[in-house]
Amino acid sequence: MNMKKFLLISFMFLLAAPALAQEMSAQTGFGPDPYLPEPETSLVPTVNTAKAIGWPEGKLPAAAPGLKVTAFARNFDHPRWMYVLPNGDVLVAETNAPPKDQGGVKNWVMGKVMQHAGAKTQSANRIILLRDANGDGKAETRTIFLKGLFSPFGMALVGDDFYVANADAVMVFPYEEGQTTITTPGRQLVNLPAGINHHWTKNLIASVDGKHLYVSVGSNSNVAEKGMEIEKDRAAIHEIDRATGKMRLFASGLRNPVGMAWNPENKALWTVVNERDELGNDLVPDYMTSVKDGGFYGWPYSYYGQHVDDRVQPQNPDLVASALKPDYALGSHTASLGLTFYDGSMLPQYKNGALIGQHGSWNRDPRAGYKVIYVPFENGQATGMPQDVLSGFLSDDGDAMGRPVGVSVAKDGAILVADDVGNVIWRVSKQ
């Protein structure tokens, strides 16, 4: 090869290198055994928010080949989470963070960042019921199912007891099949850790036999920078006895567990977890994992098993030695929130696999997430790399037209996605 040709090839490689690096970086941190780079710290952390603009007229997300996406219902007030009742009615929690009392420059800046990203609006504090009576894939009936709640999120029905996880307590209400609104006052089953609410979403799931409830509670900080005393019973999943209301710690060291679901093959509890910030673009991967009774998953002392986070002082080496490695990495800063296992018949290609709503990064360059992905499972374990189910939430200019959160399976087998920036419930079905 002559020198002129060598220089030309070298120059072309240099031109392509940034794009190649970004593409590689976007794929870093996925799968059962992710690559974990060395941590990077800086005085000023990365802030790369996508401005929330909503969906232009006629614009839709992009569905995977063989699928189509339509609006099941529009014009919500920050829809975050969903629950499908046995009769097919879809419940939508219109909700946001409760008022916070956090001083300091950093918290003020964070508030501005979240406002830019469309995540800082007053909470509607209600649950909406949607009904598609004629089966055309659109909700004809919309009623206020419950109101006057306190930043509601998780929902579960066991028999005729309907449970709601507020930011500060689990409430229970009487429910009759087919009713479109509940006016009977509920009762408090148990208090939940509250105050400061760095992570406020409290999800809720009932055990397969209906005897217990499981509640996820996120941490009150990034890496315990405010001390461990404010982290009591946080960064954890708790088990509640429905009959007595007694609550016990089920698993800990989970920085911000949100979505929870039962694996249909082996009935194991799985969760998706948002990991810590300010260690670089590619640390630490959010993850999905089976949850073991009594298991400790590292936070705040270590990440992805026993990788020590030196920012946390004093350390706890004995606890780190017991930290469990998560099952499957979901990419760094993807804000993976929604989780459900596909158990419908309409889309057999997703049978028994996990569907995950990735709300999208605010502190990564290039941006990551902003999509719904599918992770295949075999014999109760996640295998292979994720596949896009619904994408196209960012405009060509990098603005957020929408941000996916909760993911559910409708009674007819379609996939429902709550979009809290677009204020839409999307329906993904076969073409």
Side-chain angles (χ1 to χ4, degrees), residues 50-280:
K51 182 181 178 182
I53 62 172
W55 292 94
E57 186 69 29
K59 186 75 173 177
L60 300 172
L67 305 180
K68 66 177 180 180
V69 58
T70 56
F72 184 69
R74 293 181 179 271
N75 302 318
F76 290 92
D77 186 351
H78 214 246
R80 297 276 288 186
W81 212 245
M82 297 175 294
Y83 185 81
V84 179
L85 291 167
N87 69 347
D89 289 344
V90 179
L91 301 179
V92 180
E94 291 185 311
T95 187
N96 211 337
K100 297 181 181 181
D101 183 18
Q102 298 184 60
V105 174
K106 185 175 181 180
N107 288 317
W108 180 84
V109 171
M110 280 298 301
K112 293 298 182 183
V113 169
M114 293 300 102
Q115 186 176 19
H116 184 77
K120 193 174 179 62
T121 60
Q122 187 173 350
S123 180
N125 289 331
R126 66 189 173 213
I127 295 171
I128 301 297
L129 181 142
L130 304 174
R131 179 173 293 171
D132 177 11
N134 61 8
D136 67 348
K138 295 181 180 180
E140 296 85 33
T141 300
R142 182 192 303 226
T143 58
I144 296 176
F145 186 68
L146 272 172
K147 61 182 180 180
L149 301 168
F150 185 69
S151 296
F153 197 80
M155 297 165 276
L157 177 68
V158 184
D160 56 5
D161 290 330
F162 179 71
Y163 296 90
V164 179
N166 281 337
D168 60 354
V170 174
M171 303 294 295
V172 57
F173 300 84
Y175 169 78
E176 293 182 10
E177 184 175 347
Q179 72 181 105
T180 58
T181 186
I182 292 178
T183 57
T184 305
R187 63 178 176 86
Q188 183 172 301
L189 179 66
V190 65
N191 285 322
L192 296 178
I196 299 180
N197 282 314
H198 182 79
H199 293 120
W200 61 274
T201 53
K202 307 295 201 301
N203 194 19
L204 183 70
I205 188 173
S207 62
V208 176
D209 62 10
K211 293 181 179 179
H212 298 93
L213 301 173
Y214 294 85
V215 181
S216 62
V217 180
S219 69
N220 245 336
S221 62
N222 182 30
V223 281
E225 60 271 16
K226 300 174 184 178
M228 288 301 290
E229 59 275 6
I230 67 166
E231 302 295 349
K232 179 176 171 52
D233 294 329
R234 302 197 66 128
I237 292 176
H238 297 269
E239 181 187 78
I240 303 171
D241 187 297
R242 284 185 58 235
T244 65
K246 184 177 180 180
M247 186 165 73
R248 74 176 182 96
L249 188 66
F250 185 77
S252 60
L254 301 156
R255 179 177 175 268
N256 187 25
V258 184
M260 294 185 290
W262 298 104
N263 185 303
E265 293 183 282
N266 59 13
K267 308 305 180 186
L269 178 64
W270 282 69
T271 188
V272 288
V273 177
N274 285 196
E275 253 292 354
R276 67 203 71 199
D277 298 322
E278 301 177 29
L279 286 179

Side-chain angles (χ1 to χ4, degrees), residues 13 15 19 67 97 113 124 326 377 413 419:
F13 177 80
L15 287 177
L67 305 180
V113 169
F377 269 65
D419 175 352

Side-chain angles (χ1 to χ4, degrees), residues 13-62:
F13 177 80
L14 288 173
L15 287 177
L20 179 61
Q22 282 206 354
E23 182 179 349
M24 291 176 65
S25 179
Q27 293 301 316
T28 298
F30 285 86
D33 192 23
Y35 167 70
L36 302 177
E38 289 298 312
E40 300 174 7
T41 58
S42 61
L43 182 62
V44 179
T46 300
V47 176
N48 187 30
T49 58
K51 182 181 178 182
I53 62 172
W55 292 94
E57 186 69 29
K59 186 75 173 177
L60 300 172

